[in-house]
Amino acid sequence: MARTMSQATRDEYLEMMRDRYRRYTGKAARTTLLSEFCRASGHERKYANKLLRGLRGPNRKHGYIAKKRGRKKIYDKQVLSVLFTIWKHSEQPCGKRLMPMLKEWLPFYENHHGELSDETKEDVLAISAAQIDRVLAPKKAGYGMRKRRPPKANSVIKALVPIRAESWNAKVPGWLEADTVAHCGGDMSESFLWSLTATDIFSGWTEVRPSWNRGQYSVCEAFTEIEKNLPFPILGVDTDNGGEFLNRHLHRHFTHRTKPVEMTRSRPYHKNDQAHVEQKNSTHVRQLLGHDRLDHELLMKPAFELLEAWCVWRNCFTVSFKQIEHRREGSKTIRRHEKVPQTPCERLINYYRDEVRDEDHAKALEVWRALHDPFELKAWIEKKLTQIWKLDRALSLAESEGEEDLEGVADPILKGHLRYAPIALQNWKQESPHHPETDTTNPPNQDATKSSQAA
């Protein structure tokens, strides 16, 4: 019966039994009533007695304070203060490491903070490693903070996006793997900059763009910028199961078009399903920006320009070995790679010239690549990277000093510090009709884009 009672029914029944318990005077009558109450409610007899007397439960006696259960405290505030001081000055070790250190540190503690009583010293030396961890837990950074959960994938969209579990066998460009990289510095709290990485399986062409947080709208905008710079149309996108990818906004962006883009996702908790983009996260993102925290929104524009130029330099002038065969022979995995490594741009030129027979598209890519000088472009990237770190330090310092006009702090650094732009970038900006005001390194040119859509 107790399991079928609602909480409201329990409260009503308890009030009725309390009234009967007050009116009954004899011990035998109250014992019978208590047994009846235990059978009906399922409570243990001692607790049921306290409920009927009004010492527990709803509407208990006014002013009654229940005694705290459990063992009494052994260590007073003085002992905890000694522990905390030694723990803080010894680089905050765990309890198992701190316990044997206390005997050595106590004499020095008394030299600096005064002599301790014999009882206090005995308690400090008697405390166990587990108890040290328990009493110092509230002093540790992040204690009581709830872990920030990532965006949850939409279950309806998750059902619409199939899982791709087989190996890639891409024969044409346009099949992409995408992933996000957090520039959080190890702290996922509050807002910071993310990088969206998309790599083509066939050619290795990789584009990276920044995103402020990883909401569905900002990630979709980053995808739009990436798509503008691809010299081929997107045929399919494979992502992980994060909510920044599996949402209605991005699903509508890829599927509601004349030629829908196929969306697939990896198996949950199988990072190797996206081995291509995971590798690019290291070479194209971490190698450039490292693992530091970028939590100023004013860094978005210079980061966008930096990553755009970085991708041009990577796609045009850095080679990679492409895997051309992958097979299993018994318990061994046989992999065969290209004998001569190529750049992603070179692979696309050879593809359009030799396989598709699209000389115009291949020529357009060659002309666009010739506009860039690898030495000048790399020097521009290094200067831009220096500007970003200088801006980040200036903004962090201004925030610590209570400065509210952060744009005023960033403006002279953005305008006055970096006055150099490579000649190849200037020529491209003047000659390209595509985004003439904002693009500095925006591949491919308009002709290459048209031919790619036709292909």
Side-chain angles (χ1 to χ4, degrees):
M1 180 177 178
R3 295 182 179 180
T4 61
M5 283 187 181
S6 65
Q7 188 60 47
T9 305
R10 283 173 176 266
D11 293 343
E12 292 175 1
Y13 179 66
L14 175 60
E15 288 301 320
M16 181 190 71
M17 296 299 284
R18 278 177 176 173
D19 183 61
R20 291 176 59 189
Y21 191 81
R22 283 191 294 267
R23 288 188 284 108
Y24 286 15
T25 56
K27 181 178 179 181
R30 286 193 168 188
T31 300
T32 304
L33 180 66
L34 182 59
S35 301
E36 177 187 344
F37 180 64
C38 290
R39 287 193 300 271
S41 63
H43 292 309
E44 188 269 332
R45 195 172 187 85
K46 191 69 176 179
Y47 179 69
N49 188 18
K50 292 180 180 180
L51 284 175
L52 294 177
R53 292 164 56 198
L55 303 182
R56 294 285 190 276
N59 302 323
R60 65 186 182 187
K61 291 181 179 180
H62 179 69
Y64 174 78
I65 300 176
K67 294 182 180 179
K68 189 173 181 181
R69 300 180 66 182
R71 294 174 60 185
K72 294 181 180 180
K73 288 186 177 181
I74 301 176
Y75 306 105
D76 56 17
K77 293 183 179 180
Q78 178 67 23
V79 175
L80 300 184
S81 176
V82 174
L83 278 176
F84 175 71
T85 304
I86 296 177
W87 171 74
K88 187 176 180 181
H89 286 79
S90 59
E91 291 298 319
Q92 305 175 14
C94 65
K96 289 183 178 180
R97 293 174 54 208
L98 181 61
M99 187 177 70
M101 295 167 57
L102 293 174
K103 185 177 180 180
E104 300 292 335
W105 281 68
L106 266 181
F108 299 99
Y109 176 89
E110 290 183 300
N111 292 338
H112 288 273
H113 300 278
E115 189 175 353
L116 298 173
S117 64
D118 293 339
E119 185 180 356
T120 301
K121 287 192 286 187
E122 289 177 2
D123 288 343
V124 170
L125 296 176
I127 191 169
S128 66
Q131 185 67 6
I132 290 175
D133 289 329
R134 280 192 287 268
V135 298
L136 291 179
K139 305 289 186 180
K140 296 180 180 179
Y143 175 78
M145 293 177 59
R146 295 183 64 184
K147 187 176 180 181
R148 189 178 183 184
R149 298 185 64 183
K152 189 176 180 180
N154 189 306
S155 58
V156 177
I157 301 300
K158 206 169 182 179
L160 296 176
V161 179
I163 293 177
R164 185 199 60 80
E166 69 275 3
S167 300
W168 285 106
N169 189 25
K171 301 296 184 182
V172 296
W175 298 97
L176 306 181
E177 280 186 2
D179 195 16
T180 52
V181 180
H183 301 285
C184 61
D187 179 12
M188 294 290 288
S189 62
E190 300 185 2
S191 300
F192 52 88
L193 189 141
W194 291 72
S195 290
L196 174 66
T197 309
T199 184
D200 176 52
I201 303 300
F202 174 79
S203 64
W205 189 287
T206 303
E207 293 289 342
V208 185
R209 292 297 180 271
S211 170
W212 186 245
N213 292 325
R214 54 171 174 173
Q216 56 183 347
Y217 294 102
S218 56
V219 171
C220 187
E221 289 177 4
F223 260 119
T224 303
E225 294 297 331
I226 286 175
E227 193 169 1
K228 289 179 183 177
N229 290 268
L230 293 175
F232 46 78
I234 299 180
L235 303 178
V237 176
D238 183 70
T239 65
D240 58 26
N241 293 269
E244 67 272 27
F245 298 121
L246 301 183
N247 55 74
R248 293 185 180 276
H249 189 66
L250 196 63
H251 186 266
R252 183 167 54 248
H253 172 75
F254 282 125
T255 58
H256 291 194
R257 52 175 72 184
T258 306
K259 291 184 178 180
V261 174
E262 181 181 345
M263 289 187 68
T264 57
R265 56 189 175 95
S266 62
R267 293 172 294 175
Y269 308 108
H270 286 71
K271 292 180 73 68
N272 204 44
D273 285 357
Q274 289 195 304
H276 296 82
V277 73
E278 292 291 348
Q279 181 192 49
K280 304 304 181 186
N281 286 341
S282 174
T283 60
H284 286 62
V285 182
R286 293 302 186 192
Q287 184 175 326
L288 179 68
L289 295 173
H291 293 77
D292 291 341
R293 183 177 178 86
L294 300 173
D295 56 358
H296 303 289
E297 195 168 1
L298 291 171
L299 295 172
M300 276 290 294
K301 183 178 179 182
F304 181 92
E305 296 170 353
L306 172 68
L307 291 173
E308 194 174 29
W310 174 251
C311 291
V312 172
W313 186 79
R314 276 283 186 177
N315 291 325
C316 291
F317 304 111
T318 59
V319 298
S320 61
F321 284 94
K322 179 183 176 181
Q323 182 177 284
I324 57 179
E325 186 181 0
H326 175 273
R327 69 179 190 275
R328 295 273 300 181
E329 290 186 0
S331 60
K332 294 184 179 180
T333 301
I334 308 299
R335 297 182 178 89
R336 195 160 60 90
H337 296 79
E338 294 174 331
K339 296 297 183 182
V340 180
Q342 295 178 308
T343 65
C345 186
E346 191 175 359
R347 285 196 191 95
L348 288 177
I349 292 173
N350 294 336
Y351 167 77
Y352 285 118
R353 179 167 288 154
D354 300 336
E355 298 186 32
V356 182
R357 306 294 181 182
D358 187 351
E359 185 64 28
D360 293 338
H361 202 156
K363 191 67 177 177
L365 282 173
E366 288 180 336
V367 171
W368 170 75
R369 183 178 60 179
L371 294 174
H372 303 89
D373 183 302
F375 289 98
E376 291 184 346
L377 189 56
K378 188 61 165 62
W380 189 89
I381 290 171
E382 292 296 335
K383 287 180 177 290
K384 198 70 175 178
L385 190 60
T386 302
Q387 181 196 55
I388 287 177
W389 293 123
K390 181 178 180 180
L391 177 59
D392 182 61
R393 288 193 298 269
L395 293 173
S396 298
L397 180 61
E399 279 189 345
S400 66
E401 295 177 349
E403 177 64 46
E404 296 182 358
D405 185 17
L406 295 181
E407 292 185 3
V409 175
D411 192 58
I413 298 177
L414 293 174
K415 292 183 177 179
H417 177 72
L418 191 64
R419 299 176 182 174
Y420 168 80
I423 296 176
L425 291 178
Q426 292 175 344
N427 292 341
W428 176 251
K429 186 175 180 179
Q430 294 171 1
E431 295 175 7
S432 174
H434 186 54
H435 298 294
E437 296 181 356
T438 59
D439 284 4
T440 55
T441 56
N442 194 17
N445 60 26
Q446 196 173 27
D447 296 334
T449 305
K450 289 182 179 179
S451 58
S452 69
Q453 300 295 338

